[in-house]
Amino acid sequence: QVQLRESGGGLVQAGGSLRLSCVASKFTLDYYAIGWFRQAPGKEREGVLCINVSGGSTYYIDSVKGRFTISRDKEKNTVYLQMNSLKPEDTAVYYCARRRVSYRCSGAPREYGYWGQGTQVTVSS
């Protein structure tokens, strides 16, 4: 079955960096738009970044521009989220997700059909 699995989360001090990985099984990531989302306690899930089949990226949160980047390694069937200059407000569970049938990016969780289990990112002051 289709499966995505995130890893790389953890505890980091403000200003530090983390790289999250999303490994896909049973499908090829390059054929779909893949999004990164995050959800803080008591808040709704929100789109962070998305990569389309051409490698282009779309930002959905202004505060992560210049700090977060998304990339894809087709040989490893993996999408990465590089997070630099982390801030306490970045603390959340981070998820990767795949749209059901679309090459185009979207920041809306309802438009994605497959999700990973999430990985916790905690940024201390």
Side-chain angles (χ1 to χ4, degrees), residues 56-105:
S57 61
T58 302
Y59 289 84
Y60 297 101
I61 303 176
D62 287 342
S63 64
V64 308
K65 293 180 179 178
R67 299 190 298 118
F68 291 10
T69 55
I70 190 169
S71 62
R72 178 176 57 228
D73 186 332
K74 61 178 64 178
E75 294 183 357
K76 296 181 179 179
N77 209 29
T78 300
V79 169
Y80 301 98
L81 179 65
Q82 179 67 46
M83 304 185 294
N84 299 324
S85 301
L86 282 162
K87 303 175 180 180
E89 51 263 44
D90 296 319
T91 296
V93 177
Y94 283 73
Y95 302 87
C96 67
R98 194 205 88 177
R99 298 198 68 177
R100 289 185 60 87
V101 183
S102 180
Y103 296 107
R104 296 174 294 180
C105 279

Side-chain angles (χ1 to χ4, degrees), residues 24-32 34 72 74 77 98:
S25 300
K26 307 300 183 182
F27 75 96
T28 301
L29 280 172
D30 288 357
Y31 299 157
Y32 302 90
I34 306 296
R72 178 176 57 228
K74 61 178 64 178
N77 209 29
R98 194 205 88 177

